[in-house]
Amino acid sequence: KTRRGYRSVIARIMQLILSAACLAAASALSATTQTPSTRVKLPHLKAEAFRHPLDKDLTASVQRSPLRFLETAVRTGLAPPLEQMTRLDNLATGVKVSEKQYPELHASFQEAIACLGGLKPE
C-alpha cells in the first residue's frame, strides 16, 4: 500500500511539473505579442510565490515521510552523474542563442532577465 501511495505522490508531482512547464510555455508565447513598454518588472519574484498549493503539500509530506532518506541518497549518489549527462546532452543538441545567432530570441531572453531582476544566466 505504501508503494502505491509514493507512486501516486510522485505521479502527481510529475503532473504538476508538466503543468507548470506548459503554463510557462503558454505565457512565453502570449508575452511575445506585448510591446516592451507594457511588460511588468518582477525583480523580487521567488519560486515559492507561484508554487501550486498541492505541490507545497506534497513536498511537505515527502519531507516528513521515510521517502526523504531515499531523496537524500538519490541526490548524493545518482543526481550528479545524471545532471552531467543531461548537461552534456543539452550542450550537444541545443542551439546557441546570442546576439549573432537568433538575435530576436536573444533580445527576448535579455528582456526576460531584466523583468526578473537581472538574473545572471550561464
Side-chain angles (χ1 to χ4, degrees), residues 8-121:
S8 65
V9 168
I10 291 170
R12 184 64 184 146
I13 290 171
M14 295 304 290
Q15 287 175 341
L16 290 171
I17 290 170
L18 183 59
S19 297
C22 290
L23 180 63
S27 297
L29 287 175
S30 66
T32 57
T33 60
Q34 295 179 342
T35 60
S37 62
T38 62
R39 307 240 190 222
V40 176
K41 303 284 183 189
L42 304 168
H44 304 291
L45 182 66
K46 303 289 182 218
E48 191 67 26
F50 56 89
R51 282 184 65 200
H52 193 279
L54 286 176
D55 181 36
K56 291 178 187 178
D57 293 344
L58 287 173
T59 301
S61 66
V62 167
Q63 288 172 345
R64 287 189 305 265
S65 74
L67 190 61
R68 71 180 182 271
F69 298 116
L70 177 64
E71 178 191 5
T72 303
V74 168
R75 189 174 294 170
T76 57
L78 283 174
L82 288 176
E83 286 177 11
Q84 183 180 14
M85 288 173 20
T86 303
R87 181 169 171 76
L88 290 174
D89 184 57
N90 272 343
L91 289 173
T93 60
V95 176
K96 184 176 181 177
V97 176
S98 66
E99 292 178 25
K100 292 181 181 179
Q101 294 177 309
Y102 296 104
E104 300 87 8
L105 183 57
H106 185 263
S108 294
F109 180 63
Q110 294 300 323
E111 185 177 347
I113 289 171
C115 288
L116 293 173
L119 302 173
K120 293 185 176 39

